[in-house]
């Protein structure tokens, strides 16, 4: 990601059991982001959640779910995020996609800390 403070945060809300071409959807999305040279992607796993269907997904012991909620977060420039969304659209079935304007405070590492 070039030196810029203005960026976009893309969030994709999907289920852990969602797939694309025989592999987990979260994996396909992260690999696509990497292939397209985006700044980075992180997959977050939620212990509980529900979506449009209002069906509760939880990791509680008594009600073990194999479809926990996942959030994929990707931050990059507006142009690169828009291009990625167009490329990823065919992968997405149901789910929620949000986009926010964010300010990047720091990206990378300090050479003196290695």
């Amino acid at each position: 990601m070039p030196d810029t403070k203005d960026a976009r945060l893309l969030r994709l809300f999907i289920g852990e059991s969602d797939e694309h071409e025989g592999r987990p959807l979260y994996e396909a999305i992260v690999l696509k982001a990497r292939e397209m040279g985006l700044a980075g992607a992180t997959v977050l796993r939620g212990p509980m959640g529900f979506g449009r269907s209002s069906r509760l997904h939880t990791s509680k012991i008594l009600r073990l779910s194999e479809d926990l909620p996942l959030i994929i977060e990707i931050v990059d420039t507006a142009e690169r995020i828009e291009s990625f969304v167009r490329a990823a659209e065919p992968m997405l079935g149901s789910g929620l996609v949000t986009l926010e304007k964010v300010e990047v405070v720091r990206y990378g590492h300090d050479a003196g800390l290695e």
Side-chain angles (χ1 to χ4, degrees):
M1 180 168 57
D3 287 337
T4 179
K5 287 190 169 209
D6 288 331
R8 297 296 181 270
L9 167 60
L10 175 68
R11 282 195 182 112
L12 301 109
F13 296 78
I14 63 171
E16 189 173 33
S17 67
D18 293 345
E19 292 187 349
H20 176 71
E21 296 182 349
R23 75 169 13 146
L25 179 57
Y26 67 88
E27 186 178 302
I29 289 171
V30 169
L31 291 175
K32 185 67 171 175
R34 186 171 184 238
E35 174 189 311
M36 292 182 69
L38 272 68
T42 301
V43 178
L44 307 166
R45 187 179 197 208
M48 179 180 266
F50 70 93
R52 191 174 71 186
S53 71
S54 293
R55 181 171 169 242
L56 194 60
H57 303 271
T58 180
S59 63
K60 287 186 174 183
I61 300 256
L62 296 175
R63 189 174 169 181
L64 200 56
S65 175
E66 294 179 11
D67 190 25
L68 293 174
L70 298 178
I71 301 171
I72 304 167
E73 293 190 338
I74 302 172
V75 176
D76 211 311
T77 63
E79 296 79 23
R80 293 178 77 165
I81 290 292
E82 289 168 13
S83 176
F84 176 76
V85 169
R86 284 191 301 274
E89 184 68 34
M91 296 181 195
L92 303 173
S94 63
L96 173 67
V97 178
T98 64
L99 189 60
E100 298 175 42
K101 185 175 180 180
V102 295
E103 180 179 347
V104 175
V105 176
R106 184 168 192 258
Y107 177 67
H109 65 277
D110 181 14
L113 296 178
E114 292 186 65

